[in-house]
Amino acid sequence: MSTVDRLHDAAGTPLLPDDTARTLAEVFEVLQRLRLRYQLLQLQEGVGPRTR
């Protein structure tokens, strides 16, 4: 199960209202795209992935 799926499953609870869950899922997806774009640029430049 993905992070976005878990956020959707938890949505509507007292700890995670629907609007907050939607915002968190959106932010997570944007950050994942940004991360992937950065990694693709590293590959194009011949730089290996960082392991930490």
Side-chain angles (χ1 to χ4, degrees), residues 7-39:
L7 286 168
H8 288 301
D9 286 348
T13 63
L15 292 176
L16 189 61
D18 287 330
D19 59 337
T20 302
R22 276 192 301 277
T23 300
L24 287 172
E26 214 174 289
V27 168
F28 180 80
E29 289 175 346
V30 168
L31 290 174
Q32 286 296 91
R33 284 193 298 270
L34 182 63
R35 181 175 166 246
L36 179 59
R37 184 174 297 150
Y38 180 73
Q39 288 175 337

